[in-house]
Amino acid sequence: VLKGVLVGLAVLGFASSHAAPNILLIVSDDHARAAISAYGSPHIQTPHIDQLAREGVRFDRHYTPNPLCAPSRAAILTGKHAHINGHRDNTTTFDGDQPTFPKALQAAGYETAVIGKWHLQSDPTGFDDFDVLPGQGAYYDPVFITREGRTTTPGYVTEIITEKSLAWLRQPRSKPFFLMVGHKAPHRNFIPSPSTWSLFLDKTYAEPPTLRTDYAGLNSMAPQVSMRIDRHMRLQEDLMVQYAPPALEGDRLAQWQAAWATQDQAYAAQLEASNDLLATNYQRYLRNYMRCVKSVDDGVGALLDELRRTGQDKNTVVIYTSDQGFFLGENGWYDKRWFYEPSAGTPLIMRRPGLRPAVATALTSNVDLAPTILEAAGVAVPADMQGRSLWPVTQRPTDLTNRNLTYGHFYESDDPDHRVPRWVGIATQRNKLIYYYDLKEWELFDVVADPYEQKNLWSLGPNATRAELTRKLVAEMRRLKEDPDLIFQVNLAISRG
Ligand code: SGN
Ligand code: CA
């Protein structure tokens, strides 16, 4: 560790002129890039996340290797892929005995805490303090788990997590801190705060060009998955028509009902007038999702204000990301799991004091966060971490231009709710190659010419690009020590063309 610190101090101008920096990592849940104005969202203004982007590095090709909540979080903590850290799906209990970056920070003298969404079933390890939601947590009157046990906190989850985080930041301390703030929002079922119930009523959300795709260019499961905004969103629990969160009773229930009655009527009237369930549901879905995002952005603003008020902004690295993205109507869908851009593509913004703002187009992954944070702290990165530090980009954005590939693997095979087929895939600057190994089907996209990923070029037959990409996929699987049986299957499928 000492050697790592010395190397870190020698390399980093920032770290050598300051004490070890504080680190604030904010991880929201299912927050699509398309719902952040810094990423060009037509749907919402997120001024506080935008401020981070204006003052930091915005990563435009950042991905989660496994577009599902718990595996993505395990990848963040360990810097390793699911087949190495053991966390392949949402039903697994995280092995908290394995090395993680919070443990390494703690060993290097950091005070560490995690507040909010955790979703890894076992109690957090590597954190001096934890105050986390059980499982998915609740939007209203959530239960939190600490070392002392479980308590119900009245109120709205995003605001409570922000308040708890502010309180933790205000505790006196002599050590540098690492705080991981996990927001539940804007996760399904997109229940907004009383402060946003009546927002965006006049807004009409632009429909993505693929809202009404016929799936003709895609794999055979794409038209069949249970992710359709018109067919699968539940009128009450998802669209919140004639619905109220179970926790609300008495006056709070009456207030909810008063605020929603006219919105429910407007929904019914729009449906009646248009006879277009997809368009009507889409508007209703996006409005509630964006309300949830608004609370997350406000929470980011409150934390940034607190750092500024205390002068800690000058010595704190702030990172904003999500566990993965989310479909906001692309392919007619909500939810995630696919390697397609809205789902596996993930926001990542990183600010450090004194940084020259930049946009990074390198292909990066959630497994890179652990080594990045360790390097930022001047702590040696364990050799077996599979991610690679993004910290150099905060010195010279061009340093990452050699990052030209990212890997993903989705494992869930028995989920009756969504039915997304398992896959392995790589993304490069120009292409995405996906192999659905249960379907034995391939997809190859030119993401530059076809950013909405509608034209599967695999069907054009063998060619040089295809040969090169399949070679790269197998090489990456070998490098990452993937299951040899799976590598064998992939090779076999390639040889059969
Ligand atoms: C719940 C949601 C799903 C979501 C999974 C996993 N359904 O089951 O929409 O994909 O969680 O999400 S809901 O009816 O409970 O809202 S994850 O982010 O935790 O992976
Ligand atoms: Ca998630």
Side-chain angles (χ1 to χ4, degrees), residues 389-401:
S389 172
L390 308 176
W391 192 246
V393 85
T394 69
Q395 314 268 335
R396 278 180 307 277
T398 48
D399 278 6
L400 287 188
T401 47

Side-chain angles (χ1 to χ4, degrees), residues 28-30 68-70 73 117 119 187 322-325 336:
S28 54
D29 199 344
D30 295 9
L68 201 60
C69 196
R73 287 157 201 273
K117 175 103 179 221
H119 204 194
H187 190 276
S322 175
D323 56 351
Q324 80 280 312
K336 58 254 180 175

Side-chain angles (χ1 to χ4, degrees), residues 126-255:
F127 295 95
D128 297 302
D129 299 311
F130 63 83
D131 198 347
V132 297
L133 300 167
Q136 297 283 10
Y139 271 108
Y140 277 96
D141 299 356
V143 170
F144 283 84
I145 311 174
T146 66
R147 271 199 190 85
E148 280 71 54
R150 293 180 172 231
T151 12
T152 301
T153 310
Y156 184 69
V157 70
T158 309
E159 290 152 10
I160 296 168
I161 290 167
T162 299
E163 286 306 317
K164 282 177 181 281
S165 302
L166 290 170
W168 192 84
L169 286 174
R170 286 173 188 151
Q171 285 173 13
R173 63 174 53 86
S174 53
K175 296 172 165 185
F177 70 77
F178 166 66
L179 173 61
M180 182 165 171
V181 178
H183 277 300
K184 169 182 172 61
H187 190 276
R188 190 179 177 197
N189 53 345
F190 331 111
I191 302 181
S193 152
S195 65
T196 68
W197 285 348
S198 302
L199 289 186
F200 312 140
L201 286 169
D202 297 331
K203 169 101 182 159
T204 302
Y205 296 95
E207 293 182 355
T210 58
L211 184 69
R212 292 162 204 276
T213 181
D214 59 5
Y215 307 97
L218 302 182
N219 66 85
S220 62
M221 270 310 283
Q224 298 182 55
V225 290
S226 306
M227 296 175 52
R228 305 270 278 262
I229 290 173
D230 51 355
R231 297 190 192 169
H232 305 111
M233 279 199 136
R234 299 160 299 184
L235 184 66
Q236 291 190 290
E237 292 89 341
D238 290 324
L239 295 165
M240 267 167 279
V241 176
Q242 299 201 335
Y243 173 79
L248 298 189
E249 291 171 349
D251 285 353
R252 290 161 84 204
L253 179 59
Q255 282 158 14

Side-chain angles (χ1 to χ4, degrees), residues 255-270:
Q255 282 158 14
W256 171 283
Q257 286 167 337
W260 290 78
T262 47
Q263 301 188 41
D264 289 359
Q265 283 160 13
Y267 171 86
Q270 193 195 337

